[in-house]
Structure formats: C-alpha cells, structure tokens
Amino acid sequence: MLGRLLVTDDSKATAILRLVLGIVFFAHGAQKLLGWYGGPGFSGSMSLFTGYLHIPAPLAFLAIAAEFFGGLGLILGFLTRIAAFGIAMNMIVAIAMVHRTFGFFMNWTGTQKGEGFEYHLLALAITAFLMIRGAGAFSVDRAIVTASPARQPELVRS
C-alpha cells in the first residue's frame, strides 16, 4: 500500500511543478500559521475564516495545515500525493465558499470586490497531475521507493 502511494518516476518536469506549487503554498501557509511574510498568523487567520468567511473552525484549521504542511511536503517530495490532495481540497473549498461569486478572472485591474477562481483551477490541475504521477525527481518519495526496489510497483502511465 505504501509503495503505491510513494511510487514515482524520475521526471525533472514533475519535480519542477511539485517544487513551485510547494513553494507557493508553503508561503501562503506560513502567512496563515506563523504570520510570516506579512500574514495574519494563526489566530488572525482563524478569525478571518470563522468570523468573516463563516468557515467552520475544524475546516479552517485543516485549510491552514494543508497549505503549510502540504507545501512543505511538496517541497520535500514527501507523501506528495497526500500533500497534493490536501491542497486540492483546500482549493475546492476556496472556490465553493469564496471565489466563485467573483467569477473566473482574478482581480487584475482592481475593479472587482474579490478574486476570481482562475488561480485555483491552475492549482487543481497541478495537484491532479501530482496525485496521478507522484513526486518526480529529487524527492523523498522516490528515495524511499528506490531504496527497496523489490517492493517497487510499476508507475501506471495514462
């Protein structure tokens, strides 16, 4: 079971997608959890999610954790499919609860009251790719699987 979760190829292109998405979400998660990069920190984020956006506290906590720890997992390539799944769920909830009301496009000109969901769709596409293909090159997942080649399942190609 664990082997199927970790299996991946040695693709550098997959690693680039994983690393970039991981950096983006780690930074957003660090804003929400730790207050880094000018973010509100944990209590400020929880207040925003539960008070202003009316997201239940357990889901708000999971969103913060998915961004921070999912981003960290993607950067390391550790449990990549689980990290990508957490970020995907976060993006689905963000679209459904907040961004769909503002339409497709981001607020490039500052004329909308909020941001559309185009960014979230891109993140969903990348997470879907990572859940299918795995972590790619330079990942902890690959190192674990290749350390025991007798147990390594074949990568399913689609």
Side-chain angles (χ1 to χ4, degrees):
M1 168 72 178
L2 185 61
R4 287 182 176 257
L5 186 65
L6 302 178
V7 69
T8 187
D9 58 18
D10 198 25
S11 170
K12 291 173 182 64
T14 301
I16 290 168
L17 277 176
R18 172 180 52 82
L19 283 168
V20 171
L21 189 68
I23 290 167
V24 168
F25 275 91
F26 176 78
H28 281 278
Q31 285 181 312
K32 292 175 179 78
L33 184 65
L34 305 173
W36 292 1
Y37 314 114
F42 183 73
S43 60
S45 297
M46 288 296 288
S47 294
L48 172 73
F49 285 158
T50 58
Y52 181 70
L53 297 175
H54 307 292
I55 295 172
L59 294 178
F61 174 79
L62 285 174
I64 294 167
E67 287 188 14
F68 184 80
F69 294 109
L72 187 59
L74 291 179
I75 290 168
L76 298 173
F78 182 60
L79 299 175
T80 298
R81 287 181 170 91
I82 294 171
F85 179 78
I87 290 171
M89 293 303 103
N90 199 7
M91 293 296 93
I92 289 169
V93 170
I95 291 170
M97 303 271 314
V98 180
H99 298 282
R100 69 180 167 85
T101 60
F102 301 112
F104 178 78
F105 293 103
M106 299 295 292
N107 190 11
W108 296 107
T109 61
T111 58
Q112 294 175 195
K113 290 186 178 188
E115 300 289 345
F117 56 87
E118 65 180 315
Y119 160 82
H120 305 82
L121 288 179
L122 289 171
L124 281 169
I126 296 170
T127 58
F129 181 87
L130 293 173
M131 285 187 281
I132 294 166
R133 293 296 297 263
F138 318 114
S139 65
V140 173
D141 290 352
R142 180 150 178 80
I144 291 170
V145 170
T146 56
S148 59
R151 297 182 11 200
Q152 183 176 358
E154 288 294 317
L155 176 65
V156 178
R157 301 225 185 244
S158 51

